[in-house]
Amino acid sequence: DVKVTQSSRYLVKRTGEKVFLECVQDMDHENMFWYRQDPGLGLRLIYFSYDVKMKEKGDIPEGYSVSREKKERFSLILESASTNQTSMYLCASSTAGTGDEKLFFGSGTQLSVL
Amino acid sequence: DQQVKQNSPSLSVQEGRISILNCDYTNSMFDYFLWYKKYPAEGPTFLISISSIKDKNEDGRFTVFLNKSAKHLSLHIVPSQPGDSAVYFCAASAPNAGKSTFGDGTTLTVKP
């Protein structure tokens, strides 16, 4: 089974802190994604990556950056956390070029910014 | 502009009955549609999908119907079970886009 592992289930940070959310997948997937989930707003795409050192902006990239130095790892960075970034963050991965865009998700990180 | 819409935030059905979850899309380039199920404190898991060349796909108790002319798809769960209680997300992707666009989700509650 594909496993997508997010480093933390719960995080509490202060406004202005730099926050790193880590994600690792073990199925050699080319594509990796970061979404956030907020009540009533569904899943919104922050950033995604097709390959190592590649990144593409999603629908809501402002206030975030990403890093993909290795194929299995995709990090989301909040440069200066703000209260409106309190959310559930979900990492996902998928294979490329199959026409089947099925995503495999991690368990999520609930981030609270105080 | 929300390209994938799930207009019903919640749905409640009795155990054993049919659950019908609906999804509408606006982007005519979408050619692949997926449903995901999410329990609290867990990530979404893939449930069922359908390509635009089909109008129906069935997997056990779950069937997805696609009406391309209406830009509408629906997920049918028959019979519904209490364990089906979860948030269901509809998602769509366009060719070579490499990413999916999600709806807001519908919370299904199946009552015993």
Side-chain angles (χ1 to χ4, degrees), chain A residues 4 8-9 12 28 54 58 79 92 111-112:
Chain A
V4 179
S8 304
R9 292 298 299 269
V12 180
D28 202 35
M54 302 286 287
E79 295 290 342
L111 173 66
S112 297

Side-chain angles (χ1 to χ4, degrees), chain A residues 13-49:
Chain A
K13 296 292 181 181
R14 298 283 183 188
T15 301
E17 279 192 76
K18 191 169 186 176
V19 181
F20 294 86
L21 302 182
E22 306 287 346
C23 175
V24 178
Q25 51 94 3
D26 65 0
M27 282 301 291
D28 202 35
H29 282 170
E30 293 81 6
N31 302 335
M32 295 190 75
F33 306 81
W34 276 105
Y35 287 88
R36 64 178 280 179
Q37 183 198 1
D38 301 287
L41 295 177
L43 274 67
R44 293 181 292 169
L45 182 62
I46 304 171
Y47 267 97
F48 59 107
S49 169

Side-chain angles (χ1 to χ4, degrees), chain B residues 42-96:
Chain B
E42 294 183 13
T45 55
F46 169 76
L47 188 58
I48 192 169
S49 62
I50 189 167
S51 165
S52 60
I53 62 173
K54 295 185 175 181
D55 55 17
K56 177 183 174 182
N57 188 27
E58 189 172 354
D59 183 2
R61 295 187 296 115
F62 302 90
T63 303
V64 57
F65 295 91
L66 175 62
N67 183 333
K68 284 182 63 181
S69 61
K71 294 190 176 68
H72 177 83
L73 64 155
S74 60
L75 173 68
H76 293 212
I77 307 173
V78 183
S80 301
Q81 299 173 353
D84 295 330
S85 297
V87 179
Y88 289 79
F89 290 101
C90 171
S93 64
N96 301 315

